[in-house]
Amino acid sequence: MQHGKYRFIVGFLTVPLAIYGLFVIWPFIQSIFYSFTDWSGLSPEFEMVGFKNFTRMLDDEVFWKSLQHSVMFVVLLPLVTLTLALFFAFMLNVGGRRRKNAAIAGVRGSSFYKVVYFFPQVLSIAIVALLFQFAYNPNSGALNSGLKAVGLDGVQPDWLGDPDLALWCVFAVLVWCTVGFFVVLFSAGMASIPKDYYEAALLDGANRMTTFFKITLPLLWDTVQSGWAYMGILALGAESFAVVQIMTVGPNGGGPDYSTTVLPLYVYQKAFRDGQAAYATTIGVALLIVTLLFVAVVMRMGRRERLEY
């Protein structure tokens, strides 16, 4: 009986694992291999160059700028996004005033707010980037027009053209377009927490902040940990690439003086703009290492005894 069970499991997993290995694992292996060559990406011919690409990468000032920006995103973006999402979700589910028929309830109109917060998820990231590019326009954008309307004519920043502001403008867009997803995710998790826990805590004199840190956050910790890892991967992947590629200005693409260049964008530029596929795969290997380190740190720091209810 046991022999038949294991044979069934092996037979069931063979095809999915083969597909995963072909389309996920094999490209990683190829990338690592090509990082030791001088392949241009335009010709099938290449030669082995050893660690030359890695040495070049370590001496590349733009790479270090890109790495710095990506690390900033991977540290701050999950922190800001998840903090806002937890606050909004708590207010929408638990933080409202007591009502006659319920001691625990969200703020009034919470169903409407959930739709509003989730709305950016309906839009394509490319559309979001274009909309904010128009909003950041220093001459006719909504932000500077709003400042002018309230009498701040002298305060007209060049949002995406200023090296000190451009990266933070991109950061704000990424927060805006991702926080709604986690509001809905955390709201679903909070809805599964028994209301009796909150009612007992309130009867004992606990305030809303105490119930959040003593009840909500511990029981929601697994979801928060998964969200942190997912948010960090987004910050190192397609989300940051798309927003920077579409929004930022400059002859080099990636903001003035590479002030918004991130690792995914730099990989793209070297591979498809400069025809240096081997060097691009080398940067991609560095990006893979950063991503794995981030996930490992998050999973290690977030490890704790599982709570059940």
Side-chain angles (χ1 to χ4, degrees):
M1 189 68 179
Q2 292 292 329
H3 178 71
K5 182 181 71 173
Y6 291 126
R7 185 169 55 186
F8 170 78
I9 293 174
V10 171
F12 184 80
L13 293 178
T14 299
V15 174
L17 289 177
I19 295 175
Y20 182 81
L22 178 63
F23 292 103
V24 178
I25 303 300
W26 181 241
F28 279 122
I29 297 174
Q30 284 183 307
S31 297
I32 295 173
F33 171 76
Y34 284 123
S35 66
F36 294 98
T37 71
D38 62 352
W39 184 46
S40 67
L42 304 175
S43 170
E45 299 178 358
F46 59 84
E47 294 180 0
M48 301 298 295
V49 296
F51 289 93
K52 182 178 179 180
N53 289 324
F54 291 92
T55 304
R56 174 187 172 187
M57 181 181 68
L58 295 177
D59 295 331
D60 189 345
E61 182 181 351
V62 180
F63 165 76
W64 288 109
K65 278 190 175 183
S66 304
L67 178 62
Q68 179 183 352
H69 299 157
S70 291
V71 170
M72 189 206 81
F73 275 1
V74 83
V75 172
L76 294 183
L77 191 59
L79 179 64
V80 174
T81 301
L82 298 184
T83 300
L84 289 174
L86 281 169
F87 172 75
F88 291 143
F90 185 78
M91 295 302 297
L92 294 177
N93 291 273
V94 185
R97 295 182 178 180
R98 295 189 182 187
R99 301 175 190 172
K100 294 181 180 180
N101 57 348
I104 303 299
V107 297
R108 294 188 182 276
S110 58
S111 298
F112 171 75
Y113 292 135
K114 288 179 183 179
V115 174
V116 172
Y117 290 141
F118 191 74
F119 177 73
Q121 294 295 313
V122 180
L123 300 176
S124 165
I125 188 64
I127 295 175
V128 171
L130 284 173
L131 290 175
F132 274 93
Q133 185 184 47
F134 295 143
Y136 283 132
N137 189 296
N139 300 317
S140 58
L143 291 179
N144 282 359
S145 297
L147 291 174
K148 185 176 181 180
V150 297
L152 297 176
D153 300 39
V155 183
Q156 298 287 298
D158 186 3
W159 299 98
L160 297 177
D162 188 338
D164 296 327
L165 290 177
L167 189 65
W168 295 107
C169 292
V170 173
F171 182 86
V173 174
L174 289 171
V175 171
W176 182 85
C177 66
T178 53
V179 70
F181 171 80
F182 291 100
V183 169
V184 175
L185 178 66
F186 294 151
S187 294
M190 291 179 189
S192 65
I193 299 175
K195 301 296 183 183
D196 297 345
Y197 293 177
Y198 293 107
E199 293 175 357
L202 293 177
L203 289 174
D204 288 339
N207 56 31
R208 299 294 183 183
M209 183 173 293
T210 301
T211 59
F212 174 79
F213 285 104
K214 297 297 184 180
I215 298 176
T216 305
L217 189 58
L219 295 179
L220 207 64
W221 185 252
D222 289 341
T223 305
V224 173
Q225 184 184 32
S226 300
W228 197 289
Y230 176 68
M231 194 67 235
I233 293 172
L234 285 183
L236 290 171
E239 294 283 333
S240 61
F241 164 77
V243 174
V244 171
Q245 171 71 359
I246 296 171
M247 283 182 56
T248 52
V249 296
N252 299 313
D257 193 26
Y258 298 99
S259 59
T260 61
T261 304
V262 289
L263 285 178
L265 177 63
Y266 198 41
V267 171
Y268 169 82
Q269 290 175 339
K270 286 301 175 184
F272 299 102
R273 185 193 66 184
D274 301 336
Q276 301 176 15
Y279 185 54
T281 59
T282 306
I283 302 171
V285 171
L287 178 59
L288 172 62
I289 294 173
V290 172
T291 305
L292 293 177
L293 287 175
F294 167 76
V295 175
V297 169
V298 170
M299 300 305 291
R300 181 66 182 87
M301 293 180 61
R303 184 181 300 173
R304 56 181 296 172
E305 184 179 355
R306 184 179 179 86
L307 299 176
E308 297 182 0
Y309 55 93

